[in-house]
């Protein structure tokens, strides 16, 4: 047991085992350690903040319930990434089967005088870095989910290809192929006058 604010010295695998054994705080510590990266992977994979939040929530509930089946054959982070990516892909598949359209908000001034609405406000002094980041994010969202998931893990989060293969549940060659095709598609979309 650790004090408030103190870092738990147990490894991730020890925390998962402690959770399975009944420690009520162990799984929360695992989540605290990895939530930012899991969120980032989900956001890059889905391209949508609400979908990413829902996917992370779904994934963490699944991981909590399935912790007794974690065999330790991979790192806890690999296991969690796989669950998050699968949750993202499941949500994308459900969305493709039953597409939805968000309710349109009325654009106007709210009670505090700040403009609200569904449209993104363009800040005039946005830096080229921010604009390039937005371009890449938009281009990434246009890729098939399988390519996007592979690129997010390998290129954006520097997950080794072998570990990404474990996370995605596919062969190493499949990850390499998806990354290669995804990079080519991104290059085509991002080139000046490209297919945007």
């Amino acid at each position: 047991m650790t004090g408030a604010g103190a870092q738990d010295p147990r490894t991730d695998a020890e925390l998962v085992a402690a959770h399975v054994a009944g420690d009520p705080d162990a799984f929360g510590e695992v989540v605290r350690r990895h939530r930012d990266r899991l969120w980032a992977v989900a956001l890059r994979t889905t391209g949508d903040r609400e979908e990413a939040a829902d996917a992370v929530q779904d994934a963490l509930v699944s991981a909590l319930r399935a912790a007794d089946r974690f065999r330790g054959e991979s790192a806890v982070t690999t296991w969690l990434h796989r669950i998050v990516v699968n949750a993202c892909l499941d949500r994308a598949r459900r969305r493709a089967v039953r597409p939805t359209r968000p309710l349109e908000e009325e654009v106007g001034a709210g009670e505090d005088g700040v403009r609200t609405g569904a449209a993104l406000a363009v800040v005039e002094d946005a830096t080229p870095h921010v604009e390039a980041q937005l371009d890449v994010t938009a281009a990434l969202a246009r890729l098939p989910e399988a390519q996007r998931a592979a690129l997010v893990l390998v290129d954006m989060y520097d997950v080794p290809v072998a570990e990404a293969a474990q996370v995605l549940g596919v062969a190493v060659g499949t990850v390499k192929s998806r990354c290669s095709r995804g990079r080519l598609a991104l290059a085509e979309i991002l080139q000046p006058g490209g297919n945007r």
Side-chain angles (χ1 to χ4, degrees), residues 112-132:
D112 56 1
V114 177
R115 290 187 58 84
T116 59
L120 290 176
V122 177
V123 179
E124 290 181 23
D125 63 344
T127 64
H129 174 73
V130 171
E131 291 172 1

Side-chain angles (χ1 to χ4, degrees), residues 12-85:
D12 290 342
E14 289 170 340
L15 287 167
V16 170
H19 162 71
V20 171
D23 182 338
D25 300 320
F27 195 78
E29 175 63 18
V30 172
V31 171
R32 187 194 62 74
R33 288 179 184 179
H34 302 290
R35 68 181 171 223
D36 292 343
R37 189 162 180 183
L38 296 175
W39 162 253
V41 167
L43 184 59
R44 295 283 186 186
T45 303
T46 63
D48 180 271
R49 294 182 72 80
E50 289 182 28
E51 284 291 317
D54 290 344
V56 169
Q57 181 175 334
D58 293 348
L60 291 176
V61 168
S62 294
L64 182 72
R65 291 178 178 160
D68 62 333
R69 294 191 301 272
F70 176 70
R71 295 182 304 270
E73 295 172 356
S74 63
V76 171
T77 55
T78 301
W79 175 66
L80 289 173
H81 278 99
R82 181 177 192 159
I83 294 171
V84 167
V85 169

Side-chain angles (χ1 to χ4, degrees), residues 91-101:
R91 294 189 74 76
R93 282 190 283 272
R94 284 195 301 265
R95 201 172 54 244
V97 171
R98 293 185 346 189
T100 60
R101 193 184 66 142

Side-chain angles (χ1 to χ4, degrees), residues 128-144:
H129 174 73
V130 171
E131 291 172 1
Q133 193 173 24
L134 292 174
D135 286 347
V136 171
T137 301
L140 193 60
R142 294 182 53 194
L143 296 179

